[in-house]
Amino acid sequence: MSTSLYKKGMILTIIVLFIVAGVVPSISGRHVQKDLDSPKLHQCLNTGIIQGNIELAYDIEDIPSTIRPESDIARVGLYINYFASGLGAKYIVPFLQFRTFPIFLSIEGTPEWCVVSVSPGVVYPHLDYRTAETPEHAIVTISLTQNAPAFQTHSITVNAKANSFKGPFRVINIIASTENMIPIEIKTGYYSNFQYEHQTYAEMLPDEVKSIPINITSYSNARTRLTFEIIDPPEDWGASINPEIFIGTAALGDDPTGIATLTIQSPRGDEYLDEVEQFNVRVSTMAAGHPEHGIDNTTLLQFTVRCRG
């Protein structure tokens, strides 16, 4: 054994003996049980000679400005460091660097509409008495269901825990258990999803006015403004529709249904008998109060109308 290693061993032995001697004032026969029940002894056994520390960090650039339900998946890189502190850490740590220590990762405070996981669930870093140059790495995966209310900020907590490490005979904690957590803030995005139920075929007499209701159900996650436009209506036919309506969202407890009405007037004259025309209605949706979200979400509704005699 080298002189340097011998000195470190002596220092470690002295530290352990000093702590034990300080908390066990007597080992004489009739005081053994009393001393084993000593609060100071239990405090030493439970806290540890040195303190373990977990340091957590993540890549802020991995988090998008918003996460849209049912489509976006955020993968956030998590970095984990494990190091010791306290009197004697510099001398004790070298004896423990040959092994790894499990750190258990978990997710807390997740709302029911948020799906979060961390992988791997356990990492195995080496112990040091300073921050490691190459920390352990994990991935936090975040996605949202369609029930996530839009434009809200929420905090997801990643928890990391390391158990205590006991010395020989499993009597004294060499390293105290430790726990740390880090919040990851996300903002929910807008999700546009609507169901349209309407009559697709109708027959009309000349010079007749017919109203065709369009029943709309929203599965979006924000109150939405829907605008309607009739594209290239046939000549000599009349057509009109609601310019816009607003529909709520079940994600906020609102009524998610609404009705728009397409009104068609057939032309007058026998020359239009048996004429068949198609009407196209373009529906654009955008989050109410957030016109920048959803402008490109359009749907084309088609209606076929025959003028009969």
Side-chain angles (χ1 to χ4, degrees):
M1 179 182 294
S2 67
T3 304
S4 176
L5 187 60
Y6 175 77
K7 288 182 178 180
K8 290 180 180 180
M10 288 298 296
I11 292 173
L12 176 62
T13 303
I14 292 171
I15 291 174
V16 174
L17 291 176
F18 176 78
I19 293 174
V20 174
V23 297
V24 186
S26 173
I27 306 297
S28 59
R30 60 180 180 178
H31 293 107
V32 168
Q33 186 60 46
K34 176 181 178 181
D35 292 336
L36 290 175
D37 293 334
S38 167
K40 289 184 178 181
L41 176 59
H42 283 283
Q43 182 179 3
C44 174
L45 298 180
N46 292 330
T47 58
I49 299 174
I50 58 176
Q51 177 62 49
N53 302 277
I54 300 175
E55 184 180 66
L56 300 173
Y58 64 87
D59 286 333
I60 190 69
E61 295 180 357
D62 288 346
I63 304 177
S65 57
T66 60
I67 301 177
R68 293 175 300 172
E70 300 289 339
S71 60
D72 293 345
I73 298 177
R75 293 179 174 86
V76 183
L78 181 70
Y79 300 94
I80 307 101
N81 268 304
Y82 187 48
F83 60 95
S85 62
L87 182 65
K90 184 176 181 179
Y91 301 101
I92 296 176
V93 167
F95 290 92
L96 303 175
Q97 285 183 323
F98 66 92
R99 59 166 296 154
T100 57
F101 296 85
I103 293 181
F104 302 90
L105 305 174
S106 60
I107 305 295
E108 298 180 355
T110 304
E112 60 181 8
W113 42 259
C114 186
V115 181
V116 187
S117 63
V118 58
S119 180
V122 184
V123 294
Y124 296 87
H126 287 272
L127 180 69
D128 207 336
Y129 55 87
R130 59 185 179 276
T131 300
E133 295 181 1
T134 306
E136 294 298 309
H137 185 245
I139 296 292
V140 179
T141 304
I142 307 169
S143 61
L144 307 178
T145 69
Q146 66 181 26
N147 296 322
F151 313 117
Q152 296 189 17
T153 301
H154 294 271
S155 182
I156 297 168
T157 301
V158 181
N159 182 273
K161 182 178 181 180
N163 295 327
S164 60
F165 175 72
K166 296 183 180 296
F169 309 111
R170 303 187 62 82
V171 175
I172 298 177
N173 283 343
I174 301 298
I175 308 173
S177 62
T178 187
E179 190 171 2
N180 196 10
M181 59 184 63
I182 188 170
I184 298 177
E185 284 198 350
I186 63 169
K187 186 176 182 180
T188 56
Y190 175 60
Y191 172 68
S192 178
N193 183 16
F194 291 85
Q195 178 180 316
Y196 304 91
E197 295 181 350
H198 58 85
Q199 182 181 353
T200 59
Y201 177 81
E203 292 187 346
M204 302 175 63
L205 296 172
D207 197 27
E208 181 184 359
V209 176
K210 181 178 286 290
S211 295
I212 301 177
I214 305 171
N215 298 301
I216 307 168
T217 301
S218 171
Y219 296 97
S220 300
N221 63 337
R223 186 170 182 264
T224 302
R225 174 176 174 246
L226 294 86
T227 59
F228 302 85
E229 180 184 4
I230 300 174
I231 306 299
D232 298 327
E235 292 185 7
D236 300 325
W237 291 68
S240 64
I241 195 170
N242 312 60
E244 66 176 27
I245 64 172
F246 289 85
I247 298 181
T249 172
L252 297 176
D254 302 329
D255 181 7
T257 62
I259 298 177
T261 302
L262 171 65
T263 302
I264 300 174
Q265 183 174 7
S266 58
R268 180 182 303 178
D270 292 340
E271 66 270 25
Y272 294 101
L273 293 178
D274 292 325
E275 182 173 303
V276 178
E277 297 290 352
Q278 181 169 292
F279 292 81
N280 298 312
V281 176
R282 182 167 58 200
V283 186
S284 300
T285 62
M286 57 196 73
H290 300 268
E292 71 279 10
H293 293 276
I295 294 177
D296 295 331
N297 295 321
T298 60
T299 302
L300 191 67
L301 307 180
Q302 296 181 327
F303 304 80
T304 301
V305 180
R306 173 176 174 265
C307 186
R308 60 181 176 84

